[in-house]
């Protein structure tokens, strides 16, 4: 195990470290200034999600992910290193849980002068609550959308208006079903669907872990009818979307409310199946870095595995479901992060020259609700820059910025209803 100290800044390009470390004294400028350019960066959120990579990578044939350890200002105090295999082709970072920790850590990595991430694929790999309509305990989901579902007004449900179905109300609106008219920009982020589909094929090669105890809990959902068939099945790989909320919620009412939010805010195309605490934060940082040319937003894979159902089966209270009964999904969800994730990583590494080096061209819009990277979002009120996107280094003209602010102000005054909802 080697450490690359902050002061020395010794970081050599992918594939050169073993040959050049002995030949080039660390005092030479080349050794100090060369940047680490991983082909894959695995993003974990807390210890178990990271440990599964540390434990299993050495037997993968791809190297020991703890071989090289790099510090950088701004990384979590609990997880103060980016870890890499010996040839620096694969790295891993642990952000810490919640949106703030995720955003802070990913910002630190992306802005560190030790890394060149312009061609790096980012694999977000974490556990999540799972919607029993679309997946199950231990199931693996690959997302096209991440939706910040809790970015809303909130009433205590005991005090909400009688005609409301939930205490959550989109900003600037008067009914839970209306589209938000005050937009922060992080409500919805859309990643490369073509890359998601490639990752799906790779992950589907995995032999997913399961256990009898989880199967027993799954069986409770059979009484809910055909809509919950997916909950009763063994783990598989599916395509559906991720909801972000720092609040760890449980129960049918909140889950169904955020199901509706996901569908509404993506103009009917998003399918809520996994719920986590970090994805929109991670993606927002990477989007801003993409504006500056530091990363490629088309090289992001969001993968979540089901550790617990987001709502209880018939006959079980939300409290008992969340805090008393053991669903026995945690261990298999952690295992399947690696089982599915390593297939994706192997695919990228082995197919680098012929497929991945030049990127997988997106066939869909990618970016945020503002259209910050250019193009017209397929959700929300449209691009704030007329499809041009924002330029690096604050280079967007003052007239374009004024136009964007005017558009946001008009949305706020008039309200916005997407075409599919009219």
């Amino acid at each position: 195990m080697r450490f690359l100290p902050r002061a020395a800044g010794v970081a050599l390009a992918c594939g050169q470290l073993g040959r050049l470390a002995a030949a080039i004294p660390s005092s030479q400028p080349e050794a100090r200034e060369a940047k680490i350019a991983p082909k894959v960066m695995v993003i974990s959120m807390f210890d178990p999600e990271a440990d599964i990579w540390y434990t299993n990578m050495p037997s993968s044939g791809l190297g020991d992910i703890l071989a090289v350890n790099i510090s950088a200002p701004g990384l979590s105090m609990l997880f103060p290193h980016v870890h890499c295999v010996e040839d620096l082709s694969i790295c891993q970072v642990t952000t810490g849980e919640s949106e703030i920790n995720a955003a802070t850590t990913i910002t630190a990595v992306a802005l560190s002068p030790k890394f060149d991430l312009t061609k790096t694929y980012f694999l977000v790999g974490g556990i999540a609550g799972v919607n029993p309509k679309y997946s199950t305990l231990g199931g693996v989901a690959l997302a096209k959308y991440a939706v910040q579902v809790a970015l809303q007004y909130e009433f205590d449900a005991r005090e909400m208006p009688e005609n409301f179905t939930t205490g959550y109300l989109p900003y600037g609106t008067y009914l839970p079903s209306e589209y938000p008219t005050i937009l922060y920009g992080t409500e919805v982020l859309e990643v490369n669907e073509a890359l998601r589909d490639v990752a799906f094929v790779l992950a589907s090669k995995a032999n997913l872990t399961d256990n009898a105890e989880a199967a027993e809990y799954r069986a409770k959902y059979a009484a809910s009818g055909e809509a919950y068939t997916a909950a009763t099945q063994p783990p598989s790989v599916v395509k559906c979307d991720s909801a972000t909320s720092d609040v760890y919620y449980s129960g049918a009412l909140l889950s169904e409310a955020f199901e509706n939010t996901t569908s509404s805010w993506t103009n009917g195309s998003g399918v809520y199946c996994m719920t986590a605490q970090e994805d929109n934060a991670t993606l927002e940082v990477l989007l801003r870095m993409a504006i500056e040319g530091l990363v490629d937003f088309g090289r992001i894979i969001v993968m979540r595995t089901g550790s617990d159902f987001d709502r209880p089966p018939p006959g079980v209270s939300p409290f008992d479901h969340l805090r008393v009964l053991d669903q026995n999904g945690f261990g298999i969800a952690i295992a399947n992060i690696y089982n599915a994730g390593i297939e994706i990583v192997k695919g990228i590494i082995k197919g680098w020259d012929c497929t991945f080096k030049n990127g997988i061209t997106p066939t869909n819009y990618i970016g945020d609700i503002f259209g910050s990277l250019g193009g017209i979002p397929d959700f929300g009120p449209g691009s704030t820059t007329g499809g041009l996107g924002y330029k690096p280094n604050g280079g967007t003209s003052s007239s374009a910025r004024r136009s964007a602010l005017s558009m946001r102000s008009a949305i706020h005054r008039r309200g916005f209803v997407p075409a599919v909802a009219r």
Side-chain angles (χ1 to χ4, degrees):
M1 180 184 294
R2 293 184 294 114
F3 285 84
L4 300 190
R6 182 177 304 168
V10 180
L12 296 175
C14 177
Q16 295 180 323
L17 186 60
R19 296 191 303 275
L20 298 183
I24 302 177
S26 60
S27 60
Q28 291 190 17
E30 304 97 307
R32 293 199 307 270
E33 296 175 6
K35 293 188 176 185
I36 298 170
K39 296 173 181 175
V40 181
M41 177 73 75
V42 175
I43 299 175
S44 309
M45 277 52 72
F46 74 130
D47 296 276
E49 295 171 352
D51 290 344
I52 196 70
W53 293 93
Y54 305 158
T55 301
N56 290 284
M57 275 285 289
S59 61
S60 69
L62 297 177
D64 180 357
I65 199 71
L66 295 176
V68 183
N69 304 282
I70 306 102
S71 62
L75 294 179
S76 169
M77 299 75 72
L78 302 179
F79 311 106
H81 296 100
V82 177
H83 306 287
C84 302
V85 297
E86 185 72 22
D87 70 1
L88 307 176
S89 62
I90 306 166
C91 295
Q92 181 274 338
V93 65
T94 305
T95 64
E97 297 164 280
S98 83
E99 294 174 78
I100 291 174
N101 282 323
T104 305
T105 293
I106 299 304
T107 299
V109 175
L111 292 180
S112 171
K114 298 178 181 180
F115 294 98
D116 175 358
L117 303 175
T118 53
K119 291 187 178 295
T120 299
Y121 287 85
F122 296 90
L123 173 59
V124 178
I127 62 172
V130 56
N131 182 344
K133 295 180 182 179
Y134 298 104
S135 188
T136 192
L137 299 175
V140 179
L142 293 156
K144 174 182 174 182
Y145 295 108
V147 182
Q148 195 176 10
V149 293
L151 195 62
Q152 306 188 58
Y153 303 126
E154 182 185 4
F155 298 99
D156 187 305
R158 294 166 295 186
E159 297 178 322
M160 68 185 184
E162 291 183 0
N163 62 330
F164 278 28
T165 56
T166 175
Y168 279 88
L169 180 67
Y171 289 149
T173 70
Y174 295 91
L175 290 171
S177 59
E178 293 179 341
Y179 209 92
T181 63
I182 300 172
L183 299 175
Y184 290 5
T186 59
E187 290 83 357
V188 181
L189 290 121
E190 183 173 352
V191 299
N192 185 343
E193 187 174 18
L195 175 60
R196 190 273 307 266
D197 291 345
V198 171
F200 173 83
V201 172
L202 294 171
S204 295
K205 298 177 182 179
N207 181 19
L208 299 180
T209 298
D210 197 6
N211 64 45
E213 293 79 12
E216 182 178 352
Y217 201 86
R218 291 187 197 111
K220 297 178 185 292
Y221 288 84
S224 297
E226 291 185 7
Y228 290 83
T229 298
T232 67
Q233 301 300 304
S236 64
V237 182
V238 297
K239 302 175 188 177
C240 48
D241 301 308
S242 175
T244 297
S245 169
D246 270 342
V247 175
Y248 193 135
Y249 58 88
S250 182
L253 295 180
L254 284 174
S255 297
E256 288 172 2
F258 292 145
E259 255 185 88
N260 294 333
T261 297
T262 298
S263 178
S264 173
W265 291 7
T266 59
N267 289 6
S269 58
V271 177
Y272 157 89
C273 73
M274 294 285 175
T275 171
Q277 294 178 302
E278 299 86 12
D279 293 347
N280 282 68
T282 295
L283 294 180
E284 176 65 18
V285 172
L286 293 175
L287 178 131
R288 296 189 188 192
M289 298 305 160
I291 292 173
E292 303 300 325
L294 297 177
V295 307
D296 181 348
F297 198 79
R299 299 186 181 218
I300 301 170
I301 300 165
V302 179
M303 184 185 76
R304 290 284 179 170
T305 61
S307 63
D308 56 285
F309 288 114
D310 66 357
R311 67 202 79 181
V316 177
S317 74
F319 180 82
D320 287 349
H321 175 70
L322 178 66
R323 297 298 299 146
V324 178
L325 300 178
D326 191 345
Q327 300 179 42
N328 290 291
F330 181 84
I332 60 176
I334 291 293
N336 288 336
I337 292 172
Y338 180 81
N339 292 333
I342 196 63
E343 296 295 340
I344 296 171
V345 174
K346 285 180 178 178
I348 293 172
I349 297 300
K350 292 180 179 179
W352 184 258
D353 290 331
C354 62
T355 302
F356 292 96
K357 181 178 180 180
N358 293 326
I360 304 294
T361 302
T363 55
N364 61 307
Y365 168 81
I366 60 172
D368 63 358
I369 202 167
F370 289 161
S372 296
L373 299 178
I376 305 299
D378 49 4
F379 52 89
S383 170
T384 59
T385 63
L388 298 177
Y390 290 92
K391 296 181 180 180
N393 300 312
T396 302
S397 68
S398 57
S399 61
R401 290 197 300 272
R402 286 195 298 271
S403 175
L405 290 171
S406 297
M407 177 181 176
R408 292 188 68 208
S409 177
I411 292 168
H412 189 185
R413 291 194 306 272
R414 296 194 307 267
F416 165 72
V417 180
V420 296
R422 290 195 176 107

